[in-house]
């Protein structure tokens, strides 16, 4: 814990305001960070957390207010200036050069040189030194695109640490990490804390916040609604402050009864290893089938093989008893399949395009009239999705990048609903989404099953799988380790059974 002397204050953000077209994102927000402490920032998606940090980091310029670092007023024109002044940030959405090596990504823009030329040996040695200090077991020479999302996230954290920053901002750092990796991250945070680094920690995972934080600031609708010591807060109090109401149930009731067999997957094996091998399962109308497994269990690869964005070596797919090939995404969409990808920013949204464009994209052929796109039809369908899914946006023409993560996810889900799919493949549909928006996504998923849709849902959150799924398929080492039926009872020991199966072929 840090002491409460003013000399310990490393950062003050005073009455920060920021406005976007039609949206007041920040309204006189204050935040104080002390050396050697973890100050957590919480709130629903759209509360203004990331916007506040982007003002600090020079991504956005605040409209009014003052930022002080160690008592000195600062204003950074860009992230480079922030980094040069001792502020590093690990963003929720990874932004890496996937075809380059790990060490090149770590030192991008500041490559070590010898005699005026880039020194790959020094780059390797420096990366190795940082990784060893943080106990990260990744070869600096491998191509970063070949790593799992969780490994890439650890690389990004190591990159931030390599700047020897006085302030480190972590935006949803555990959204893709396993429990073991979360413990590893907390060890890293402990080391940085001991060095006197001030850490701003953004997360929706309340148990993590209570475990790791010294202080907590809670935001709602662009305003600070509370700033307290973590020891003074409870889970119920945090939820009430975040959403402005009590959430008595974490998951909505799922009263649907699965019907006849909708989908059969037989012995699916991917072409390019590492991938899934000989996986078979069935899915019924109105059923939510969860997919669990440790990082590297090839859950995503299973969905990608079914949807045809990854090449299959062998296996068969049957919809309503009729064989379908699903050789590519276009064919899969025609056959009634939809895939919501894990990484919203990289493979989901088109950030520089409008909400309307992102909504109608997968259904463009439906709007062609005499060789031209019908603006009236596109407007009408976008309005329907916004209203049906409760998307919070100033308008259809707003760039989707200005929406919160939860609202972006609703737009992508709406995009696929317009294609009238029968099978929805959802890969981490609530990743990086706050507790209130999660509940809304769960409601949407359950509503879809009430219309006879079949859902296959990958999730790293065990309570989520047990809370809304009818059955859980467990992957281990690319193989099917078992399927757990949760329909008749929620199995008090379901979590332990899933973990046992997940370790079966590791």
């Amino acid at each position: 814990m840090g002491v409460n002397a003013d000399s310990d204050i490393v950062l003050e953000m005073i009455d920060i305001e920021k406005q976007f077209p039609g949206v007041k994102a920040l309204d006189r927000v204050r935040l104080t960070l002390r050396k050697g402490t973890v100050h957590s920032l919480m709130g629903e998606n759209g509360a203004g957390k990331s916007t506040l940090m982007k003002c600090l980091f020079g991504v956005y310029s605040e409209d009014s207010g003052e930022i002080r670092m160690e008592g000195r007023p600062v204003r950074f024109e860009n992230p480079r200036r922030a980094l040069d002044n001792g502020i590093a940030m690990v963003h929720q959405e990874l932004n890496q050069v996937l075809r380059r090596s790990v060490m090149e990504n770590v030192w991008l823009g500041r490559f070590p040189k010898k005699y005026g030329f880039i020194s790959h040996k020094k780059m390797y040695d420096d990366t190795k030194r940082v990784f060893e200090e943080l106990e990260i077991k990744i070869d600096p020479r491998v191509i970063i695109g070949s790593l799992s999302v969780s490994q890439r996230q650890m690389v990004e954290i190591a990159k931030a640490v390599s700047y020897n920053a006085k302030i480190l901002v972590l935006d949803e750092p555990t959204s893709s990490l396993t429990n073991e990796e979360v413990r590893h991250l907390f060890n890293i945070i402990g080391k940085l804390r001991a060095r006197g680094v001030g850490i701003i920690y953004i997360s929706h995972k309340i148990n993590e916040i209570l475990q790791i934080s010294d202080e907590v600031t809670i935001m709602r609708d662009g305003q600070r609604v509370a700033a307290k010591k973590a020891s003074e807060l409870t889970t119920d109090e945090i939820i009430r402050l975040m959403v402005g109401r009590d959430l008595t149930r974490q998951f909505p009731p799922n009263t649907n009864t699965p019907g006849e067999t909708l989908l059969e997957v037989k012995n699916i094996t991917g072409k390019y290893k590492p991938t899934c091998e000989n996986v078979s399962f069935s899915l019924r109308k109105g059923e939510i089938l969860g997919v669990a497994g440790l990082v590297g269990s090839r859950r995503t690869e299973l969905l990608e093989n079914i949807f045809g964005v990854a090449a299959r070596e062998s296996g068969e797919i049957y919809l309503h008893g009729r064989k379908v090939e699903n050789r590519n995404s276009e064919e899969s969409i025609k056959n009634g399949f939809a895939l919501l990808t894990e990484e919203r920013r990289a493979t989901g949204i088109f950030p520089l395009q409008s909400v309307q464009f992102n909504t109608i994209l997968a259904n463009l052929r439906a709007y062609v009239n005499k060789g031209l796109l019908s603006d009236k039809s596109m407007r009408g369908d976008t309005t329907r999705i916004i209203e049906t899914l409760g998307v919070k946006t100033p308008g259809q023409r707003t760039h989707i990048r200005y929406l919160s993560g939860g609202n972006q996810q609703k737009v992508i889900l709406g995009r696929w609903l317009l294609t009238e799919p029968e099978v929805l493949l959802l890969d981490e549909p609530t990743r990086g989404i706050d507790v209130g928006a999660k509940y809304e996504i769960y409601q949407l998923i359950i509503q879809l099953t009430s219309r006879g849709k079949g859902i296959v849902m990958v999730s790293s959150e065990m309570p989520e799988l047990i809370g809304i799924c009818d059955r859980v398929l467990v992957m281990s080492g690319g193989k099917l380790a078992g399927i757990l039926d949760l329909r008749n009872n929620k199995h008090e020991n379901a979590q332990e059974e899933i973990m046992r199966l997940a370790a079966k072929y590791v």
Side-chain angles (χ1 to χ4, degrees):
M1 290 280 187
V3 296
N4 289 328
D6 284 351
S7 61
D8 269 353
I9 295 175
V10 67
L11 173 72
E12 289 177 282
M13 301 186 78
I14 305 165
D15 295 337
I16 304 297
E17 297 203 346
K18 181 66 183 174
Q19 183 128 358
F20 296 111
V23 180
K24 189 159 192 179
L26 297 173
D27 185 4
R28 297 178 67 84
V29 178
R30 289 177 166 250
L31 184 142
T32 301
L33 175 67
R34 302 178 190 280
K35 294 177 184 177
T37 68
V38 176
H39 192 126
S40 288
L41 198 52
M42 299 196 75
E44 290 191 273
N45 286 96
K49 308 180 300 296
S50 294
T51 302
L52 183 66
M53 290 302 98
K54 285 175 180 177
C55 288
L56 170 65
F57 199 55
V59 177
Y60 296 149
S61 179
E62 64 274 13
D63 298 330
S64 64
E66 187 178 32
I67 300 173
R68 294 179 189 163
M69 210 175 150
E70 297 179 323
R72 177 174 52 91
V74 293
R75 187 167 190 160
F76 306 121
E77 301 86 19
N78 53 57
R80 181 75 225 184
R81 294 285 297 146
L83 284 164
D84 290 343
N85 282 272
I87 301 175
M89 183 171 178
V90 178
H91 297 271
Q92 177 184 346
E93 307 287 358
L94 300 176
N95 191 14
Q96 296 166 321
V97 186
L98 298 183
R99 295 187 179 181
R100 308 305 299 180
S101 69
V102 165
M103 62 186 189
E104 286 173 305
N105 273 272
V106 169
W107 302 101
L108 196 64
R110 52 188 181 131
F111 293 136
K113 293 183 179 180
K114 192 172 183 180
Y115 308 122
F117 296 97
I118 293 172
S119 171
H120 286 86
K121 182 181 184 305
K122 181 167 172 44
M123 198 189 309
Y124 174 84
D125 291 342
D126 289 351
T127 309
K128 195 76 175 168
R129 175 180 49 77
V130 174
F131 282 9
E132 284 175 355
E133 181 187 355
L134 302 179
E135 298 177 19
I136 294 173
K137 295 177 174 62
I138 296 173
D139 185 345
R141 294 165 296 200
V142 302
I143 300 301
I144 200 164
S146 68
L147 301 178
S148 68
V149 175
S150 64
Q151 289 174 311
R152 287 169 50 204
Q153 200 145 16
M154 293 305 287
V155 170
E156 202 67 10
I157 290 163
K159 177 180 179 177
V161 171
S162 74
Y163 280 94
N164 294 316
K166 298 174 184 176
I167 298 168
L168 176 62
V169 181
L170 299 173
D171 191 353
E172 294 289 348
T174 66
S175 59
S176 297
L177 304 186
T178 63
N179 290 337
E180 187 55 44
E181 287 166 330
V182 171
R183 282 192 287 273
H184 184 187
L185 173 63
F186 286 0
N187 286 337
I188 292 172
I189 289 173
K191 290 179 181 179
L192 296 174
R193 204 186 218 161
R195 284 190 208 163
V197 176
I199 296 166
I200 299 175
Y201 190 94
I202 303 174
S203 177
H204 294 119
K205 298 181 179 179
I206 297 173
N207 60 325
E208 290 180 5
I209 293 292
L210 294 175
Q211 181 183 346
I212 198 73
S213 309
D214 296 291
E215 296 176 89
V216 181
T217 288
I218 298 170
M219 296 179 66
R220 185 169 72 239
D221 299 329
Q223 297 180 323
R224 185 183 82 167
V225 295
K228 297 186 176 186
K229 291 180 179 178
S231 58
E232 297 173 356
L233 289 165
T234 64
T235 297
D236 289 344
E237 175 74 356
I238 289 172
I239 291 173
R240 187 185 64 75
L241 288 166
M242 278 175 60
V243 303
R245 62 191 186 277
D246 290 320
L247 275 182
T248 53
R249 293 179 63 99
Q250 191 177 357
F251 304 101
N254 181 2
T255 57
N256 297 326
T257 303
E260 64 190 44
T261 298
L262 172 65
L263 172 72
E264 287 182 279
V265 172
K266 297 183 178 180
N267 302 314
I268 285 285
T269 298
K271 190 169 186 178
Y272 302 108
K273 295 188 172 12
T275 185
C276 54
E277 300 175 40
N278 293 315
V279 178
S280 300
F281 66 89
S282 63
L283 176 71
R284 294 163 70 179
K285 280 188 177 182
E287 181 180 34
I288 304 172
L289 176 67
V291 181
L294 303 173
V295 171
S297 61
R298 309 305 162 197
R299 298 167 299 176
T300 293
E301 286 81 354
L302 175 62
L303 299 197
E304 289 177 345
N305 273 276
I306 294 170
F307 194 66
V309 291
R312 284 195 303 277
E313 178 71 37
S314 59
E316 298 172 333
I317 302 168
Y318 294 86
L319 186 68
H320 296 299
R322 180 178 61 87
K323 188 176 180 181
V324 293
E325 296 297 338
N326 287 8
R327 284 168 287 216
N328 52 54
S329 56
E330 184 178 12
E331 191 173 298
S332 297
I333 293 168
K334 284 181 184 176
N335 288 332
F337 289 76
L339 173 64
L340 190 97
T341 57
E342 177 184 7
E343 291 191 75
R344 192 166 49 236
R345 181 178 175 185
T347 55
I349 66 166
F350 290 80
L352 299 180
Q353 296 294 335
S354 67
V355 169
Q356 183 189 95
F357 177 90
N358 277 275
T359 302
I360 54 88
L361 184 61
N363 203 37
L364 278 175
R365 290 187 177 182
Y367 309 113
V368 177
N369 184 15
K370 296 180 181 177
L372 299 172
L373 287 170
S374 168
D375 189 56
K376 182 180 178 182
S377 296
M378 293 189 294
R379 264 200 328 270
D381 273 358
T382 305
T383 298
R384 181 158 58 87
I385 290 300
I386 288 171
E387 291 176 352
T388 303
L389 303 191
V391 179
K392 293 177 184 174
T393 175
Q396 295 191 18
R397 302 295 181 186
T398 302
H399 282 186
I400 196 170
R401 63 179 170 157
Y402 293 129
L403 271 58
S404 68
N407 285 302
Q408 289 176 2
Q409 197 74 315
K410 288 180 186 178
V411 170
I412 301 170
L413 193 55
R415 173 197 302 169
W416 289 116
L417 296 185
L418 289 175
T419 68
E420 291 295 329
E422 294 191 70
V423 177
L424 283 97
L425 309 171
L426 309 179
D427 196 351
E428 302 284 5
T430 66
R431 179 186 170 210
I433 293 177
D434 65 77
V435 65
K438 276 186 178 182
Y439 194 89
E440 292 176 352
I441 295 289
Y442 298 147
Q443 285 179 314
L444 291 171
I445 290 170
I446 290 169
Q447 286 168 16
L448 289 169
T449 60
S450 70
R451 290 160 46 190
K453 309 292 186 187
I455 311 282
V456 181
M457 186 178 92
V458 168
S459 176
S460 298
E461 295 190 29
M462 207 85 73
E464 179 172 271
L465 290 169
I466 296 167
I468 70 164
C469 294
D470 299 293
R471 293 184 298 150
V472 176
L473 179 156
V474 186
M475 296 286 291
S476 178
K479 301 182 178 71
L480 172 62
I483 298 178
L484 207 59
D485 195 331
L486 303 175
R487 286 193 194 101
N488 297 320
N489 75 71
K490 287 297 178 186
H491 285 283
E492 287 184 15
N493 64 339
Q495 192 157 324
E496 290 80 2
E497 180 65 11
I498 289 170
M499 287 304 298
R500 186 184 66 77
L501 289 169
K504 189 173 181 179
Y505 300 119
V506 175

